[in-house]
Amino acid sequence: MELANRVKQMTPSSTLAIAAKSKELKQAGYDVIGLGVGEPDFNTPDFINEAAIKALQEGHTKYTPAGGIPELKAAIANKFKQDNELDYTAKEIIVTTGAKHALYTLFQVILNPEDEVIVPAPYWVSYPEQIKLAEGKPVIVEANEKTNYKITPEQLEAAITEKTKAVIINSPSNPTGMTYTEQELLALGEVCVKHQIWIVSDEIYEKLIYTTEKHISIAQLSPALKNLTIVINGVSKSHAMTGWRIGYAAGDADIIKAMSSHASHATSNPTSIAQYAALAAYTATEDPTVDMRKVFSERLDLLYNLLEDIPGFSCTKPHGAFYLFPHIAEAVKMNQFNSTEEWVEALLEEEKVAVVPGGGFGAPDNIRLSYATSTEALIEAAKRMKRFVENHS
């Protein structure tokens, strides 16, 4: 049977491949430390779980509007007002089956064949694949340690062509953890306004910033930028609700309407119970992010300092999310491996530490480490990685 070309051109997820190998070794009885997972290691707060149970008991188990229940849209609009000084109506908000689904649906409704989307690298692994699935073309613009893994206005300007439809801005970033400043966003936004291209602002990690800087959404910087921006967010990272699959998008009413129509044929609606759980997350007085942020900040400092002692590692300290993204080209060379992928595979086989190679993020000389795990595990993982590098040197 011949598969569709859109499927054949997809690249398998490097994060899922490492997770599968790690699980296989664990099932075989090995003490594997996994630093590849992209989700908080906290349980969903009790008050959210209780709201879901109440929703079940009250019979909220039927279809909902394709774009989400009105109460949740209102709560999201209030969140935007309180956190980002942004005003959105219900017609400008769609609730989706996770933030990933919001991105996927957005690309499906704005891209025609060969339309280009500028993707700063390092990037989240699904951006290029989702663009290709919409028959668009990802245009990769590379950033590096010298620019703190952020693209410049000059790079953005140089990448724009007559086929450019949008640019993705992910701040805080997965995988680098870096954030754009207000000045940097304004400079990038000026280029976008000049060329009238859509801005896809992925802000899923906005609540997980460990510096004194406040999260800035590019949409809040001017009416012109708000008109061009589709904000993507969700409760997965902020409220430890990865499995509940509730995300959302906010922006131009015509785009949101098209996304809702598309979703009506793809999923019918986000899970009803999960929507009521998300409603509780956004309307309760409790803020579970405060405790998570404190713990993640402490782990970041710990692991960052430990990595500095590993020969051949160079790491820019991130501002947010829960990842470190060290450059390990020197270590790979010292250890006489042909690629980062080989190095990562050998580390897992010999020391039972699972990390994600950076190739899937557009940075083949880096690895991504998640510190969404215990302090003890982080200390032991760093010890094993250092031993591995030294044993192979």
Side-chain angles (χ1 to χ4, degrees), residues 69-241:
I69 59 175
E71 302 96 315
L72 180 52
K73 285 189 175 186
I76 291 169
N78 184 62
K79 176 258 175 243
F80 274 118
K81 182 68 173 178
Q82 297 299 318
D83 292 350
N84 311 110
E85 301 175 6
L86 285 166
D87 290 308
Y88 290 109
T89 67
K91 292 182 178 180
E92 296 171 308
I93 295 171
I94 177 176
V95 182
T96 56
T97 309
K100 180 181 284 189
H101 180 232
L103 286 161
Y104 176 86
T105 307
L106 173 61
F107 293 132
Q108 288 291 320
V109 304
I110 69 170
L111 296 181
N112 288 312
E114 300 303 311
D115 278 350
E116 296 175 352
V117 179
I118 296 172
V119 183
Y123 47 73
W124 179 50
V125 295
S126 291
Y127 292 148
E129 306 309 316
Q130 291 189 345
I131 293 164
K132 289 187 288 186
L133 284 169
E135 298 187 75
K137 179 183 177 183
V139 176
I140 309 303
V141 176
E142 295 184 4
N144 53 41
E145 282 185 292
K146 293 180 181 178
T147 60
N148 288 326
Y149 296 110
K150 294 181 280 188
I151 64 167
T152 65
E154 292 76 19
Q155 285 180 297
L156 177 58
E157 180 79 49
I160 292 175
T161 73
E162 60 181 15
K163 293 184 177 180
T164 303
K165 197 70 171 284
V167 61
I168 297 175
I169 296 176
N170 178 207
S171 178
S173 161
N174 174 10
T176 69
M178 303 308 292
T179 60
Y180 284 90
T181 67
E182 181 174 345
Q183 292 71 28
E184 289 167 338
L185 290 172
L186 279 169
L188 292 173
E190 186 177 334
V191 178
C192 296
V193 171
K194 172 185 174 183
H195 293 278
Q196 288 294 292
I197 61 173
W198 293 110
I199 303 166
V200 182
S201 185
D202 185 348
E203 303 178 18
I204 192 71
Y205 291 97
E206 75 161 314
K207 294 292 186 179
L208 299 176
I209 295 177
Y210 315 114
T211 65
T212 56
E213 297 176 4
K214 183 183 178 182
H215 170 74
I216 300 292
S217 171
I218 193 170
Q220 73 188 84
L221 298 180
S222 75
L225 286 171
K226 181 175 183 282
N227 290 340
L228 290 175
T229 302
I230 307 298
V231 178
I232 307 294
N233 211 325
V235 294
S236 290
K237 316 298 182 182
S238 59
H239 292 79
M241 294 177 67

